[in-house]
């Protein structure tokens, strides 16, 4: 056990060392301004998440009050816990594989005189602490809102319910992470097999994520339709869903019963025994399978690297060679590839889902004014998710990791490297714009007047934000990451441009609504043309300014990066 804690301390310090370098200034205070900017970005991110948590808690509060009238508040508590556990399972797969099997410190840890199951337990503990922090941010306000809603509706809870809330937070991530960890043993063999089939693996990941996202948005809409203060009973579909979760996830049902005052010791013992059993099974299997899974993955990778089919073919032309290198650097790691192209996939999905949600609403197929308002909303979503959130550009240099030193010695000019990185980021963005244009034409039933200008504007802003993101990453790259999880999920810096794009999108969306509001007093056709011309002109100015700044400071920033 002593060795476990020593190793845990080492891994934690190694994983979180980048946070210190990003948020804490050096003794001389030379980088104080940069740290202040990073802290400001983190504060803005926290505010954004805070707004999301607030609305989620408000929905839980209303549903909790309604569930009391139907005598379903105990089942609702069980469902809330199950919902958070499902979130941990879905997003924990990447964390388990990235931190446990594909982390850069595996080679170092495997050379230590430590049993493989101890290494696995330490890795899993680090993942658990990450998930615990996320669960606490979302679940603590939800549990408080649940209790307030139920009490306001007349329900009563025993006093120990409130003292057990920390136990709920601590135990909730354990079972889903145990399940993911057990599944990771066979999954690592599958991932190793597909390691050189990155496109196939990426498509599978995207389809799973899009399916989950679509179900989540549609379910959230169903909930939002009745949370208006006038409904006194749960809709049958929602009540059926809550009952289904309560029956299926039996251990959470026992825990919810214990928390709300029904046979506390017996039901709590069943839940704790289930949690302890999950931990025991995971530890036991890790002792048997972790080392074999790691060895099998390495053997599969070596075997494929020696196959004739895997031999790289030479590429002619400097620009093409650099572009191919950038593409390989992106797609060789599933975590980077997945997060880089999701904006281009999710944005058109949102356009489709909004059409499904609002089917029958005249704004989607009505007058020119209503179509223009819809185009303004589409522009807002696309600027935020497609232009402002492009990890292809935001991590253009960071994803190089240890391979960054190659850029130092390549016999090419930095401007050619920047062009290749910009071209790849543009390719990802423009693919999303094409998909948005196609879905927009389908959803609006051929509203070419608004959809095509939207596409042109998005192309301009996509280029502008890609250049901005590449400049920001060149200014403060994180090339010393241990695992992709560290540079993607635990890094707020690349997310900041999303807030810039969100602000612009809100301004444009409100401007479109104002034009429609005063439609009678304006020449509507001229106002719409002026709107799209003005939006495009602002984007062109931003693109020109960002390009000049990047070209002017690139060499200096590049030389300052320490390997």
């Amino acid at each position: 056990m002593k060795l476990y804690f020593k190793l845990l301390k080492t891994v934690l310090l190694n994983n979180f060392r980048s946070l210190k370098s990003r948020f804490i200034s050096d003794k001389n205070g030379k980088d104080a301004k940069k740290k202040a900017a990073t802290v400001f970005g983190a504060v803005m991110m926290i505010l954004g998440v805070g707004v999301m948590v607030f609305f989620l808690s408000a929905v839980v509060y209303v549903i909790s009050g309604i569930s009391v009238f139907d005598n379903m508040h105990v089942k609702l508590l069980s469902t809330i816990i199950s919902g958070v556990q499902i979130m941990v399972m879905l997003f924990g797969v990447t964390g388990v594989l990235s931190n446990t099997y594909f982390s850069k410190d595996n080679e170092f840890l495997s050379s230590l005189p430590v049993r493989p199951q101890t290494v696995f337990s330490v890795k899993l503990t680090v993942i658990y602490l990450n998930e615990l922090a996320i669960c606490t941010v979302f679940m603590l306000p939800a549990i408080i809102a649940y209790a307030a809603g139920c009490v306001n509706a007349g329900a009563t809870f025993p006093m120990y319910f409130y003292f057990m809330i920390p136990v709920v937070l601590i135990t909730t991530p354990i079972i889903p992470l145990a399940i993911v960890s057990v599944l990771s043993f066979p999954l690592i063999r599958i991932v190793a097999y597909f390691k050189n089939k990155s496109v196939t693996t990426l498509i599978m990941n995207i389809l799973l994520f899009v399916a989950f996202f679509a179900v989540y948005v549609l379910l959230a809409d169903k909930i939002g339709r009745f949370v208006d203060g006038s409904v006194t009973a749960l809709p049958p579909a929602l009540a059926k869903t809550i009952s289904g979760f309560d029956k299926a996830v039996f251990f959470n049902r026992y825990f919810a019963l214990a928390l709300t005052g029904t046979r506390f010791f017996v039901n709590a013992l069943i839940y704790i025994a289930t949690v302890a059993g999950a931990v025991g099974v995971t530890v036991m299997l890790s002792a048997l399978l972790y080392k074999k899974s790691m060895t099998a993955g390495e053997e599969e990778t070596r075997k494929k690297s020696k196959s004739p089919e895997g031999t790289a073919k030479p590429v002619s032309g400097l620009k093409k060679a650099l572009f191919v290198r950038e593409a390989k650097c992106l797609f060789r790691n599933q975590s980077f590839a997945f997060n880089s192209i999701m904006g281009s996939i999710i944005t058109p999905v949102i356009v489709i889902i909004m059409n499904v949600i609002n089917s029958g609403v005249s704004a989607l197929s009505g007058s020119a004014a209503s179509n223009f308002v819809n185009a303004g909303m589409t522009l807002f979503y696309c600027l935020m998710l497609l232009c402002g959130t492009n990890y292809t550009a935001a991590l253009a240099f960071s994803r190089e990791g240890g391979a960054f030193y190659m850029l130092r010695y390549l016999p090419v000019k930095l401007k050619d490297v920047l062009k290749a990185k910009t071209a790849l980021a543009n390719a990802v963005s423009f693919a999303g714009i094409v998909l948005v244009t196609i879905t927009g034409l389908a959803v609006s039933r051929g509203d070419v007047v608004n959809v095509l200008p939207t596409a042109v504007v998005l192309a301009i802003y996509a280029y502008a934000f890609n250049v901005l993101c590449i400049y920001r990453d060149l200014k403060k790259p994180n090339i010393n990451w241990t695992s992709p999880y560290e540079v993607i999920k635990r890094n707020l810096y690349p997310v900041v441009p999303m807030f810039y794009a969100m602000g612009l999108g809100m301004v444009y969306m409100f401007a479109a609504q104002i034009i429609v509001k005063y439609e009678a007093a304006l020449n509507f056709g001229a106002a719409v043309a002026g709107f799209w011309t003005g939006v495009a002109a602002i984007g062109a100015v931003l693109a020109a300014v960002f390009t000049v700044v990047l070209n002017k400071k690139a060499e200096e920033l590049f030389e300052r990066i320490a390997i």
Side-chain angles (χ1 to χ4, degrees):
M1 186 61 67
K2 185 177 181 180
L3 186 59
Y4 164 82
F5 284 110
K6 285 185 177 181
L7 192 60
L8 177 62
K9 179 182 178 181
T10 301
V11 174
L12 283 174
L13 290 175
N14 187 42
N15 274 267
F16 289 95
R17 72 187 188 282
S18 62
L19 291 180
K20 180 179 179 180
S21 63
R22 286 182 175 274
F23 290 97
I24 302 177
S25 301
D26 57 17
K27 295 181 179 180
N28 298 324
K30 295 181 179 179
D31 57 350
K33 292 183 178 180
K34 295 181 180 179
K35 305 303 180 185
T38 304
V39 171
F40 176 76
V43 171
M44 295 301 296
M45 182 67 176
I46 292 172
L47 290 176
V49 173
V51 172
M52 186 188 309
V53 171
F54 173 79
F55 283 109
L56 175 64
S57 301
V59 171
V60 171
Y61 175 82
V62 175
I63 296 177
S64 301
I66 298 173
S67 67
V68 172
F69 298 117
D70 291 346
N71 197 27
M72 290 191 65
H73 57 289
V74 179
K75 294 182 179 180
L76 177 62
L77 177 59
S78 170
T79 302
I80 291 173
I81 299 173
S82 299
V84 175
Q85 289 175 335
I86 291 174
M87 180 185 72
V88 173
M89 285 188 62
L90 288 173
F91 296 99
V93 174
T94 301
V96 170
L97 293 179
S98 175
N99 284 278
T100 307
Y101 296 100
F102 301 133
S103 180
K104 289 182 178 180
D105 59 2
N106 282 339
E107 184 176 352
F108 166 73
L109 294 176
S110 62
S111 64
L112 298 177
V114 182
R115 293 181 300 175
Q117 59 265 35
T118 303
V119 175
F120 183 83
S121 299
V122 167
K123 293 273 191 174
L124 199 58
T125 302
V126 174
I127 299 168
Y128 165 77
L129 293 175
N130 286 326
E131 297 298 333
L132 177 61
I134 297 173
C135 285
T136 301
V137 169
F138 286 93
M139 194 167 186
L140 181 58
I143 290 292
I144 294 174
Y146 165 82
C150 290
V151 171
N152 186 58
T156 57
F157 295 127
M159 185 57 65
Y160 60 74
F161 171 87
Y162 304 98
F163 292 101
M164 289 291 290
I165 290 179
V167 179
V168 176
L169 300 176
I170 292 171
T171 57
T172 294
I174 294 178
I175 293 179
L177 281 180
I179 294 173
V180 171
S181 300
V182 171
L183 293 177
S184 71
F185 297 125
L187 187 60
I188 186 60
R189 294 174 179 261
I190 299 174
V191 171
Y193 176 77
F194 282 112
K195 194 167 186 180
N196 290 334
K197 299 180 177 64
S198 53
V199 174
T200 304
T201 311
L202 194 59
I203 291 174
M204 292 169 60
N205 290 335
I206 290 172
L207 291 176
L208 289 173
F209 185 87
V210 168
F212 167 75
F213 181 82
V215 172
Y216 168 79
V217 173
L218 292 174
L219 181 60
D221 174 69
K222 296 297 181 184
I223 294 174
R225 285 183 183 274
F226 76 90
V227 182
D228 57 3
S230 61
V231 180
T232 58
L234 293 174
L238 183 60
K240 186 177 180 181
T241 300
I242 293 174
S243 298
F245 272 108
D246 180 67
K247 291 179 181 178
V249 191
F250 71 93
F251 45 87
N252 287 337
R253 179 173 76 246
Y254 287 118
F255 195 33
L257 287 170
L259 292 172
T260 52
T262 302
R263 302 174 64 192
F264 174 79
F265 291 104
V266 175
N267 289 325
L269 182 61
I270 294 174
Y271 176 76
I272 297 299
T274 305
V275 172
V279 174
V281 170
T282 303
V283 173
M284 181 184 67
L285 289 178
S286 69
L288 299 173
L289 301 176
Y290 176 63
K291 187 174 182 179
K292 293 181 180 179
S293 299
M294 286 288 292
T295 304
E298 293 171 359
E299 289 176 351
E300 186 69 31
T301 302
R302 286 195 296 269
K303 181 173 65 175
K304 291 199 172 287
S305 65
K306 293 178 182 179
S307 61
E309 295 84 1
T311 304
K313 297 181 180 179
V315 178
S316 59
L318 176 62
K319 294 182 179 180
K320 185 176 180 180
L322 288 175
F323 182 84
V324 170
R325 178 192 178 276
E326 291 298 325
K328 287 183 177 181
C329 180
L330 176 65
F331 286 100
R332 72 186 176 193
N333 189 295
Q334 291 297 310
S335 297
F336 285 122
F338 181 80
N339 286 276
S340 294
I341 70 174
M342 279 315 301
S344 299
I345 302 297
I346 285 297
T347 309
V349 171
I350 287 178
V351 175
I352 297 173
I353 291 175
M354 290 304 172
N355 179 54
V356 173
I357 291 175
N358 297 291
S359 56
V361 178
S362 59
L364 290 173
S365 57
S367 65
S370 61
N371 285 337
F372 179 60
V373 170
N374 187 56
M377 295 181 63
T378 301
L379 180 62
F380 165 72
Y381 284 115
C382 291
L383 283 175
M384 179 177 63
L385 300 175
L386 190 58
C387 301
T389 313
N390 186 354
Y391 276 88
T392 314
L395 300 176
F397 287 91
S398 294
R399 67 170 173 263
E400 298 274 353
F404 176 80
Y405 74 91
M406 294 180 60
L407 295 178
R408 295 281 199 190
Y409 306 109
L410 284 177
V412 295
K413 297 179 180 179
L414 178 59
K415 66 177 183 179
D416 292 325
V417 175
L418 292 174
K419 287 180 181 179
K421 291 184 179 293
T422 305
L424 180 62
N426 289 338
V428 173
S429 298
F430 293 164
I433 293 172
V434 171
L435 293 175
V436 166
T437 303
I438 295 173
T439 55
L441 289 172
V443 167
S444 63
R445 296 172 176 84
D447 182 24
V448 178
V449 175
N450 289 305
V451 174
L452 292 186
T454 302
V456 173
V457 166
L458 287 178
I460 297 173
Y461 279 88
Y463 172 78
F465 274 93
N466 286 339
V467 174
L468 172 64
C469 290
I470 291 174
Y471 167 74
R472 284 172 54 82
D473 191 50
L474 181 60
K475 188 177 180 181
K476 288 171 45 175
N478 183 5
I479 60 176
N480 296 318
W481 46 269
T482 301
S483 69
Y485 187 88
E486 178 183 345
V487 75
I488 295 174
K489 300 297 184 183
R490 208 184 295 144
N491 188 7
L492 300 178
Y493 185 72
V495 186
V496 174
M498 181 190 72
F499 295 101
Y500 301 157
M502 186 188 302
L504 285 172
M506 291 181 67
V507 171
Y508 297 153
M509 181 175 63
F510 289 138
Q513 293 175 350
I514 291 173
I515 290 174
V516 170
K517 182 177 181 180
Y518 296 99
E519 176 185 5
L522 299 171
N523 183 332
F524 184 69
V528 171
F531 171 84
W532 289 118
T533 302
V535 172
I538 294 173
V541 171
L542 292 176
V545 171
F546 295 154
T547 302
V548 170
V549 172
L550 176 63
N551 292 335
K552 184 178 180 181
K553 297 186 176 182
E555 291 284 353
E556 177 187 351
L557 295 174
F558 184 74
E559 293 300 326
R560 279 168 37 186
I561 300 175
I563 300 177

